[in-house]
Amino acid sequence: MDAPTTMSAENGTSGDSGGGGGWFTPRKPVAARPGGSDAAGSGERAEPEAEGREAPDVDQDHITGRRTPFTSIRRVGAGGAATTVTAEPQGPPASPDPVQPTVPWPDGSERPAHEHPADPRAASGPQAPAAGPLDAGHEPSARPAPGAPPAPPTGTAAAEAGSPDAIRVRRTLGEIEPVADKVTSYFYALLFTRNPELRALFPAAMDSQRDRLLRALLTAAEHMDDPGVLTEYLQHLGRGHRKYGTDASHYPAVGEALIGALSRYATTTWDEETEAAWVRTYTTISQIMIDAAAENERHAPAWWHAEVVSHDLRTPDIAVVTVRPDQPYPFLAGQYTSLETPWWPRIWRHYSFASAPRSDGLLSFHVKAVPAGWVSNALVHRARPGDVLRLGPPAGSMTVDHTTDNGLLCVGGGTGIAPIKALVEDVAEHGARRPVEVFYGARTDHDLYDIDTMLRLSQAHPWLEVRAIVDGRTQLPDAVREFGPWNEYDAYLSGPAGMIRSGVDALRGVGVPYERIRHDSLDELVAAAD
């Protein structure tokens, strides 16, 4: 559940959702499936069907005017070693800034600077689970602070802290913040006017993409003096962007458009030294992504084709979709993936895996059709056995830590029960008798579509307790507080944004430490419900 899981369905939104994430996420068109399905259909999530605003009225001469070249960026495949590349140094080198205890991610979540170690079982997979991604729709894996995620540090003190390049970059960010929408629109105007061939790589509706561009850039620039956090974040983006068809040759074009847009709107802070700082910053950022993509290309495909083998309509708007990947797909219970349908090329949504890895290699997802949701409605109401989908790489760190004997407190609302079920199966397969307490919340009895499965698991495993909580009878946070204490438990929350917020508040209120609470991205879940 970006960025991703729960609510599975389009909450599934995720970091990679819809328009994708990052300042630049070109999409590679999906080849038509044999038998031909239309490439245009109904929508996904609540995203507009009409093409979003992508360019303001601008002077064409200005758009095609002076360009700042980026020529020091290697092509994908030129080397996989993570290196820092700089363009003609024009100022003192950056000096490390104190590491922040947490870092905001573009999917809306706030991550600790040091996530728990990834499970070694995934080391040989297509992508060892990193602390989290942009792909994510749901971004499970996150361990944010309660309430809405805080914004990056702002103000004079934050802007003047760090290396000379960081100071100049943050001054620029501070100036353009009030006109961020115009900057983003102008960026795309420059990119598509100078490189019209790139327009076909993006989805028709640009609204979601436009929102993510500046958010990702702010995150990278804010933490340019924290190489550990920045590198992990950018490596995730570089790996994830392979499924869009991103090529190293695209990065210079993006850099030129970025510099052009910033210089147009940062009228008071922009000068030659500031431009040089941005060139160095962007060159470093893009090189990390290119190197990560090249390394990932050595042992994993850019995407997987997956045939639908089962479509179980549990309620009029919830389906359990099971697919068979065309090649092995290693992942961990609690993770999520990005998914594209043949009816909506270049539109990706994040969904959590609804089971632990299976011996037959099949993957299952719980999908709830969201009003006007392009991908979710296609999966629930249109997909049938034999249809072929595309999957991105697995992501997310909302996984079980098998190095501890702590119990698991799992709170799942709606289709958020999907990754919770996967976590339960993972504990069972490891044979440990760790206590697992599951609270399954829903608005009505009818919405407890997977309660029979959860009760069967409870009957088979004496260490598992499952409690169904229906709105109107009791509130989920109240039930969690009632059955405590939870000081010896790791907490996992998955479901609608409102449930996540109240659940985190309740857990913090009864003494569960911040670092032991993991949940999906609030920002992505809100976007999925729009």
Side-chain angles (χ1 to χ4, degrees):
M1 279 200 115
D2 75 209
T5 129
T6 165
M7 243 189 88
S8 137
E10 266 179 50
N11 95 28
T13 165
S14 176
D16 259 67
S17 283
W23 344 286
F24 181 57
T25 52
R27 309 308 177 87
K28 183 175 183 177
V30 179
R33 187 168 51 82
S37 46
D38 57 340
S42 50
E44 140 117 295
R45 266 203 226 188
E47 299 186 16
E49 296 184 16
E51 183 171 352
R53 267 184 313 130
E54 38 180 87
D57 293 331
V58 292
D59 185 332
Q60 293 300 309
D61 291 336
H62 184 86
I63 288 180
T64 57
R66 187 177 72 87
R67 300 165 67 162
T68 300
F70 290 80
T71 58
S72 61
I73 301 174
R74 297 196 305 274
R75 288 180 174 274
V76 172
T83 58
T84 298
V85 179
T86 58
E88 302 178 5
Q90 300 179 27
S95 58
D97 213 21
V99 176
Q100 301 291 332
T102 59
V103 53
W105 284 53
D107 59 21
S109 65
E110 183 186 8
R111 307 293 182 77
H114 303 287
E115 286 281 358
H116 62 80
D119 191 313
R121 291 177 296 154
S124 60
Q127 173 185 335
L134 185 70
D135 275 355
H138 320 231
E139 224 324 68
S141 106
R143 290 190 280 181
T154 58
T156 303
E160 300 304 320
S163 67
D165 277 3
I167 292 173
R168 292 188 178 96
V169 165
R170 288 168 185 154
R171 285 174 181 168
T172 306
L173 295 176
E175 182 178 359
I176 67 168
E177 185 175 4
V179 291
D181 188 67
K182 293 182 179 179
V183 175
T184 305
S185 293
Y186 193 72
F187 163 83
Y188 281 112
L190 292 174
L191 182 63
F192 296 150
T193 301
R194 294 171 174 175
N195 309 273
E197 72 280 3
L198 297 183
R199 182 60 184 93
L201 299 179
F202 288 77
M206 292 290 293
D207 286 9
S208 178
Q209 170 69 22
R210 291 171 69 255
D211 291 342
R212 283 178 170 76
L213 177 146
L214 200 60
R215 186 72 176 270
L217 177 59
L218 284 169
T219 299
E222 272 307 325
H223 299 278
M224 60 181 295
D225 277 352
D226 187 349
V229 171
L230 182 63
T231 298
E232 179 186 25
Y233 166 63
L234 294 174
Q235 286 176 339
H236 173 85
L237 284 186
R239 291 188 294 261
H241 284 189
R242 290 183 59 217
K243 68 177 177 291
Y244 303 131
T246 305
D247 185 86
S249 64
H250 297 146
Y251 285 87
V254 175
E256 292 177 8
L258 173 64
I259 297 299
L262 293 174
S263 62
R264 179 174 175 83
Y265 287 95
T267 56
T268 61
T269 58
W270 198 264
D271 55 26
E272 290 186 2
E273 291 182 344
T274 298
E275 179 170 307
W278 273 100
V279 168
R280 286 190 291 271
T281 298
Y282 177 77
T283 303
T284 297
I285 286 171
S286 56
Q287 193 61 62
I288 292 173
M289 295 177 66
I290 289 171
D291 288 339
E295 171 61 28
N296 185 248
E297 187 177 11
R298 296 174 179 175
H299 56 81
W303 62 76
W304 287 252
H305 286 103
E307 179 184 358
V308 176
V309 297
S310 173
H311 187 281
D312 181 10
L313 193 64
R314 297 290 183 86
T315 75
D317 61 354
I318 296 177
V320 175
V321 181
T322 302
V323 303
R324 177 185 292 111
D326 61 345
Q327 53 190 305
Y329 189 103
F331 71 97
L332 299 178
Q335 289 192 298
Y336 60 90
T337 187
S338 51
L339 185 154
E340 179 198 56
T341 71
W343 306 285
W344 291 101
R346 304 187 306 280
I347 303 295
W348 296 76
R349 293 293 181 267
H350 288 87
Y351 295 91
S352 294
F353 300 106
S355 67
R358 296 167 46 161
S359 59
D360 59 9
L362 298 182
L363 309 172
S364 292
F365 307 95
H366 293 189
V367 184
K368 179 179 177 64
V370 176
W374 298 355
V375 174
S376 65
N377 277 280
L379 290 173
V380 173
H381 301 303
R382 190 168 186 173
R384 293 294 180 269
D387 289 329
V388 178
L389 313 175
R390 282 207 304 175
L391 305 178
S397 59
M398 197 177 82
T399 56
V400 178
D401 180 359
H402 292 289
T403 66
T404 176
D405 294 328
N406 288 347
L408 274 67
L409 168 60
C410 302
V411 182
T415 51
I417 198 64
I420 299 301
K421 183 169 77 73
L423 295 175
V424 170
E425 293 176 354
D426 189 35
V427 172
E429 290 175 4
H430 276 72
R433 298 178 61 85
R434 300 169 60 177
V436 179
E437 301 278 345
V438 173
F439 291 83
Y440 184 0
R443 289 191 174 91
T444 67
D445 291 324
H446 180 70
D447 294 324
L448 294 169
Y449 68 92
D450 211 30
I451 187 63
D452 290 343
T453 301
M454 298 306 299
L455 290 178
R456 283 196 297 271
L457 286 171
S458 179
Q459 293 170 358
H461 305 293
W463 42 262
L464 172 63
E465 184 73 37
V466 177
R467 298 181 176 87
I469 309 297
V470 178
D471 284 355
R473 302 172 192 170
T474 184
Q475 295 298 310
L476 193 53
D478 295 334
V480 172
R481 281 189 289 262
E482 177 184 350
F483 288 95
W486 307 110
N487 54 302
E488 298 297 329
Y489 285 72
D490 292 332
Y492 298 80
L493 294 90
S494 179
M499 187 214 80
I500 297 293
R501 292 192 181 98
S502 59
V504 170
D505 288 342
L507 293 174
R508 294 295 298 276
V510 296
V512 178
Y514 164 87
E515 63 273 11
R516 295 220 310 267
I517 302 176
R518 302 171 188 169
H519 62 75
D520 305 326
S521 160
L522 296 176
D523 192 55
E524 293 295 345
L525 297 179
V526 171
D530 285 343

